[in-house]
Amino acid sequence: MPTPLDFGPFLALSEAARAELAVQARPISIPAGVALVREGDASDDVYAVTSGRLRIVVGPGERAVAQLAAPALVGEIAALERAPRTASVIARTPVRGLRIAGDLVRLAAAADERFAAELRAFADLRAVRTFLRRESPFAEMPSDAAAELAARLRLVRFADGEPLVREGERGDDVYLLRSGEAVVERGEPPEAIATMGAGALVGELSALTGAPRNATVRARGAVEAFRAAGDDVRAVLRRHRATIDRLEDAMRSRHAPRRTGDARVEDAPDDRGAVILHDERTGTYLRLSRDALAIYEALDGARTLRDLALIHFARTGSLDPRGVFDTVAALQAAGFASAPRIAADAPDARLMRLADVILAPRVEVSSGDRIAGALARALAPAFTPAGACVAIALGLVGLALLVRLFRLASPTTFGIAGLAVAFVGILIAGLGHEAAHAIATKVEGRRVGRAGIGLLWFTPVIYVDTSDAWLLDRRRRALINIVGPLFNFAAAGVFAIAATYARGGAQDLLIWLAFINLVSVAFNLSPLLEFDGYYALSDLTGTNALRRKALRFVFRDLVDRPRRPRTRAEAGFLAFAVAALVYVLAVSGVVLLGVPAVVDGLLASTVADGTRVLAGTAIALVLTALLVGPFVAEVFAVRSEGAG
């Protein structure tokens, strides 16, 4: 015969025992919004809810940790533990059910071992779920993920002095302290460096990154903890990026970073207060202040971020933990310092590599120095003031000719084959542009690193690593930045001059090749986009992060408190920011007007009129969004920064 207790752990009881327990229970009817039990109460009644919905909340703010729907069992933890309630249970809708005295539940469990085991397992799982959502780094994890993780945890106990993990060992278990206190020790002889209490996570650095244990954690008195295998934790976390970010932030605060790679420290050529870190193996460069260098040199794998901040304070008298943390973060991002990272899933990594091969295939050489050196020896006369004058003259003559010739060209000239013309034009412009940077770097006596050619979304991309030019002074760096656009300007002139003597399709091709090189000049030489012209201007003015500083001054400082610029630097910032805004608007106008016409010409012979208009408009809007979006995002970013 059916009873109201035919669910959950009660199914371990015989039908007769369930019926008898139901008879002894008292019926309840709870309106919506009323609590069945309150956190901290000493009562131990158990509630079997047969209709309605419940919400489990914890803490003063009543943060929800679970939602339940009938049939549901609540209150079993207090009945088994004879302890105060660990959470409040509130009716979301009108609720009906049975209230069973704690003594009756305990008697039933004493009489039936199977029921006792089922009820204990049910209570333990719920206790873990509540604990995860209340007192752990997983508190913000979705309830279904918390339930999945809770099912993988096992309760373990440690006696006073017993180690949970040992320094230097390879371990894959994670411990979440449920009760008691543990002390963190490091070194030999062991030195206590911290204590941990309920809710603390132990061993996650090793389990989630694969690194050896960086400290010993030992029980101080009796300790209870939930244990999970690293594979189980990673399997759940992999689907929840926000939780991974929080864990990595927590790990970073306890991580003791160490120097990585084989970096060489060199004085910055134009700033006595700065140095440049250079790792020849990776070709990475990073500019640091002298104070930042001291922080880098203190990264020994034994000092935490807190230790580094205190060392910085003792050395400089400046208590600036945020500055220390930002410096370490920059070193970690550049690969000069170790950083805790949750291990990636191998299948995901393979998938990303496959996507990279399909969407961005490339061919690369580890060093382009020999080729660049040979070209520099052959073309050295071109990289002189006289050579620059010839290049400018070619560009000016070609530009004058192109103004007249361009009227003879039309977007419909090549039809759909115009895409191939554009591809070839971008390829030629890119090869010459990057080769010019590489040759100029060698002419200045610096080394050329990796070089390659590839596709990005089916568009040719050519790149050369000239980072070694950071070891030159600002003026020489600016020259290296400028030679790329200067090549494109000269190439546009050569193509335009050749077009005056060509006829038919050859003339049309040369006109478009000249035009593509001029577009490259416009984009790369503009100081308002972060390409060659921007970096040349930054070098010549000696202003790092020029764009951000200018936008911050205009769109935050002047907007909040309008005034006249007080210094030449502020006047320059104002001019730059206004020019950047005008540039973005002007180019957006050109894109909105010109791209639909180009698309219409390319597709005139193959696509219907309405479709061409729709495609051209859509492409123009996307390109405009790519121009305007980053600018607007930067403005909002500087607006959100604190006053500097």
Side-chain angles (χ1 to χ4, degrees):
M1 180 178 178
T3 76
L5 302 180
D6 294 344
F7 69 92
F10 294 116
L11 293 174
L13 293 169
S14 67
E15 186 175 328
R18 292 201 301 274
E20 181 180 354
L21 195 58
V23 169
Q24 294 174 312
R26 294 177 57 186
I28 59 168
S29 179
I30 308 293
V34 175
L36 280 73
V37 300
R38 281 289 180 188
E39 184 177 0
D41 285 353
S43 62
D44 64 353
D45 291 340
V46 174
Y47 294 83
V49 176
T50 56
S51 69
R53 294 179 178 274
L54 305 166
R55 183 164 57 102
I56 301 178
V57 299
V58 297
E62 294 194 343
R63 185 165 58 84
V65 297
Q67 309 281 350
L68 300 177
L73 174 64
V74 296
E76 76 290 342
I77 296 175
L80 289 175
E81 303 287 348
R82 301 192 186 194
R85 303 288 190 184
T86 59
S88 298
V89 181
I90 300 172
R92 293 180 61 201
T93 64
V95 166
R96 293 182 179 275
L98 299 175
R99 183 169 65 189
I100 310 169
D103 287 339
L104 292 176
V105 174
R106 287 189 289 271
L107 286 172
D112 190 318
E113 291 183 358
R114 183 163 169 261
F115 172 60
E118 289 288 333
L119 187 62
R120 170 52 66 185
F122 182 87
D124 287 346
L125 181 59
R126 174 165 288 168
V128 175
R129 291 175 61 178
T130 302
F131 186 82
L132 283 176
R133 300 298 305 282
R134 176 177 181 169
E135 297 184 79
S136 82
F138 308 102
E140 302 301 325
M141 182 181 284
S143 56
D144 58 337
E148 182 182 352
L149 181 58
R152 300 170 187 248
L153 298 179
R154 295 293 178 266
L155 184 64
V156 292
R157 294 177 172 84
F158 296 90
D160 182 32
E162 187 176 357
L164 284 72
V165 299
R166 291 185 182 276
E167 183 177 3
E169 288 184 347
R170 294 276 180 180
D172 200 45
D173 287 340
V174 179
Y175 298 90
L176 181 62
L177 298 189
R178 182 188 188 191
S179 64
E181 191 175 77
V183 61
V184 182
E185 301 173 342
R186 185 175 289 149
E188 191 60 45
E191 177 186 358
I193 60 174
T195 57
M196 311 176 82
L201 203 58
V202 177
E204 80 283 4
L205 276 172
S206 294
L208 300 181
T209 68
R213 307 288 194 190
N214 68 350
T216 296
V217 179
R218 196 179 304 276
R220 177 182 287 171
V223 168
E224 285 190 346
F226 297 112
R227 180 177 63 196
D231 284 343
D232 291 338
V233 176
R234 288 190 293 271
V236 175
L237 292 182
R238 201 169 288 127
R239 301 191 296 275
H240 302 282
R241 183 68 244 178
T243 303
I244 289 177
D245 291 340
R246 281 193 295 275
L247 278 176
E248 286 187 339
D249 286 342
M251 290 190 296
R252 199 170 289 115
S253 67
R254 289 159 46 194
H255 175 58
R258 68 180 184 281
R259 296 185 297 277
T260 58
D262 186 20
R264 190 172 74 243
V265 180
E266 300 191 33
D267 292 333
D270 46 17
D271 186 352
R272 294 181 180 179
V275 299
I276 294 174
L277 289 186
H278 174 209
D279 188 334
E280 291 187 356
R281 182 180 57 84
T282 62
T284 305
Y285 294 75
L286 183 66
R287 188 186 185 96
L288 297 175
S289 67
R290 297 285 177 178
D291 286 342
L293 176 63
I295 295 171
Y296 168 73
E297 291 173 339
L299 304 183
D300 58 0
R303 299 182 174 104
T304 65
L305 292 179
R306 177 179 177 275
D307 299 330
L308 294 170
L310 292 175
I311 291 171
H312 179 73
F313 174 63
R315 192 178 64 82
T316 66
S318 172
L319 186 59
D320 182 21
R322 172 51 56 192
V324 173
F325 298 168
D326 288 345
T327 297
V328 174
L331 289 164
Q332 291 171 332
F336 289 108
S338 63
R341 290 285 186 272
I342 292 178
D345 185 33
D348 290 345
R350 289 195 297 269
L351 185 61
M352 292 301 294
R353 286 195 295 270
L354 178 61
D356 187 53
V357 169
I358 295 173
L359 298 177
R362 56 189 174 273
V363 177
E364 182 179 277
V365 294
S366 59
S367 175
D369 196 63
R370 180 176 297 179
I371 298 174
L375 290 173
R377 288 189 293 274
L379 301 175
F383 290 81
T384 60
C389 291
V390 171
I392 293 171
L394 283 172
L396 290 173
V397 171
L399 183 61
L401 293 172
L402 192 61
V403 171
R404 180 176 60 84
L405 292 171
F406 198 68
R407 291 176 296 176
L408 304 176
S410 166
T412 61
T413 301
F414 298 103
I416 195 68
L419 295 176
V421 172
F423 184 95
V424 172
I426 294 172
L427 181 63
I428 293 173
L431 283 170
H433 182 102
E434 293 300 322
H437 285 314
I439 295 170
T441 300
K442 289 304 298 179
V443 168
E444 294 292 347
R446 303 312 308 180
R447 177 181 171 276
V448 174
R450 294 180 304 162
I453 182 171
L455 296 177
L456 181 62
W457 293 103
F458 311 109
T459 301
V461 175
I462 299 91
Y463 54 94
V464 174
D465 180 7
T466 58
S467 301
D468 203 45
W470 274 104
L471 298 173
L472 298 171
D473 60 59
R474 290 193 179 99
R475 186 189 65 82
R476 295 161 76 192
R477 287 202 306 267
L479 291 175
I480 291 175
N481 282 318
I482 289 171
V483 295
L486 187 57
F487 165 84
N488 292 123
F489 191 52
V494 170
F495 287 131
I497 292 170
T500 61
Y501 297 100
R503 294 293 179 269
Q507 184 182 59
D508 292 331
L509 177 61
L510 290 167
I511 291 173
W512 281 107
L513 290 177
F515 177 73
I516 290 170
N517 274 275
L518 282 178
V519 170
S520 176
V521 172
F523 273 89
N524 281 286
L525 201 55
S526 167
L528 309 176
L529 298 175
E530 292 192 17
F531 295 126
D532 297 323
Y534 170 82
Y535 291 114
L537 184 60
S538 294
D539 282 333
L540 292 174
T541 60
T543 307
N544 293 322
L546 172 61
R547 183 183 178 94
R548 193 166 192 85
K549 289 177 180 177
L551 295 181
R552 183 191 297 124
F553 172 69
V554 173
F555 292 100
R556 189 194 68 185
D557 299 348
L558 291 189
V559 168
D560 290 347
R561 296 181 180 178
R563 60 176 174 82
R564 290 180 177 274
R566 296 168 182 162
T567 64
R568 292 180 61 185
E570 288 185 349
F573 289 157
L574 177 60
F576 183 95
V578 171
L581 176 60
V582 171
Y583 180 87
V584 168
L585 294 177
V587 174
S588 297
V590 171
V591 168
L592 288 172
L593 294 174
V595 168
V598 172
V599 172
D600 182 71
L602 291 174
L603 305 179
S605 61
T606 56
V607 178
D609 291 350
T611 304
R612 293 201 308 273
V613 171
L614 183 62
T617 303
I619 293 172
L621 289 174
V622 169
L623 292 175
T624 302
L626 292 175
L627 282 167
V628 176
F631 184 84
V632 172
E634 280 189 272
V635 170
F636 275 104
V638 298
R639 290 281 303 161
S640 66
E641 293 176 359

